[in-house]
Amino acid sequence: GSLDHKMDHLVCFMGGSLALGAYTNPDGLDSPKAQRDLKLAKAVTYTCYQMYARQPTGIAPEYVRFVKGRDMETGSNARFYILRPETVESLFILYQLTGDPVYREWGWEIFQAIEKHCRTEIAYGSLPDVGRTTVKPEDRMESFFLAETMKYLYLLQDPDTPIDILNTHVFNTEAHPLKKLELVKQRLN
């Protein structure tokens, strides 16, 4: 097989997953494997942020390609954005774990771009072409946008959130924070 130098927006959850793995590594965060995973988590998330930052709208396409001798390029049939949450999920997790304000800043930039280019009179809509600042959003909003994308963006900016992803909470696949089972059992007893 051949290597396809393509990165889908869907892969952008991986930064958060790698960071969680680093912080919960049985050998500790200072172990070589945990440090490798944390470095990779930050690099993947930075690339995901760049998928947004390099577009005229500040909105990421569905995927990008990496072409030798050139920079990141939007896939020819991937100029759309359907309000995906994966990048902001990783920003939230990395901010929670590292406390680095850059993740909040990137999240704020993404939120502002969504507000500017995806907001409609009554809701939000998918963007058919992230490369054009004059295009209007479509009359279509995926259910995960409010359940995940907006929730992660809100939690990322909330300085008083009680959510602690290492000690007290886990998130299900739809970004619903749940208390860890052992904490629920303690409370019931």
Side-chain angles (χ1 to χ4, degrees):
S2 62
L3 182 61
D4 188 4
H5 298 272
K6 173 186 168 199
M7 184 166 166
D8 290 75
H9 191 287
L10 285 168
V11 174
C12 290
F13 80 93
M14 199 63 197
S17 293
L18 286 164
L20 283 168
Y23 272 79
T24 59
N25 186 299
D27 296 328
L29 181 59
D30 292 327
S31 71
K33 184 177 179 188
Q35 285 300 301
R36 178 203 66 196
D37 290 351
L38 184 58
K39 182 178 178 181
L40 183 56
K42 291 177 178 182
V44 166
T45 303
Y46 176 74
T47 302
C48 293
Y49 163 71
Q50 287 298 318
M51 288 171 67
Y52 285 81
R54 294 182 185 203
Q55 298 300 320
T57 56
I59 301 287
E62 186 68 5
Y63 69 84
V64 295
R65 291 196 173 279
F66 302 96
V67 182
K68 189 174 182 176
R70 295 192 301 235
D71 204 353
M72 177 188 304
E73 296 179 359
T74 301
S76 59
N77 61 345
R79 301 195 64 76
F80 59 93
Y81 172 68
I82 60 169
L83 308 165
R84 289 201 184 277
E86 291 79 16
T87 296
V88 295
E89 174 183 5
S90 287
L91 295 176
F92 169 72
I93 291 169
L94 277 161
Y95 177 70
Q96 276 265 311
L97 297 175
T98 68
D100 188 338
V102 74
Y103 301 112
R104 289 181 83 197
E105 292 166 19
W106 293 349
W108 184 246
E109 288 176 29
I110 291 168
F111 173 74
Q112 288 179 308
I114 291 170
E115 282 290 304
K116 182 175 183 178
H117 297 286
C118 300
R119 190 168 181 112
T120 68
E121 191 176 312
I122 60 168
Y124 293 84
S126 300
L127 204 58
D129 188 343
V130 299
R132 294 179 35 218
T133 58
T134 57
V135 71
K136 299 291 181 207
E138 296 175 338
D139 186 16
R140 183 181 83 158
M141 182 176 76
E142 302 289 342
S143 63
F144 55 71
F145 176 67
L146 294 177
E148 296 178 70
T149 308
M150 289 302 267
K151 189 180 302 172
Y152 282 124
L153 285 167
Y154 173 81
L155 291 171
L156 180 59
Q157 300 303 323
D158 180 9
D160 300 319
T161 183
I163 304 223
D164 177 347
I165 59 173
L166 280 182
N167 300 304
T168 60
H169 291 83
V170 295
F171 280 81
N172 70 10
T173 59
E174 291 301 312
H176 300 306
L178 305 169
K179 288 265 188 182
K180 287 186 174 180
L181 189 56
E182 64 264 17
L183 297 176
V184 173
K185 286 180 180 178
Q186 287 173 4
R187 195 169 190 182
L188 292 174
N189 292 334

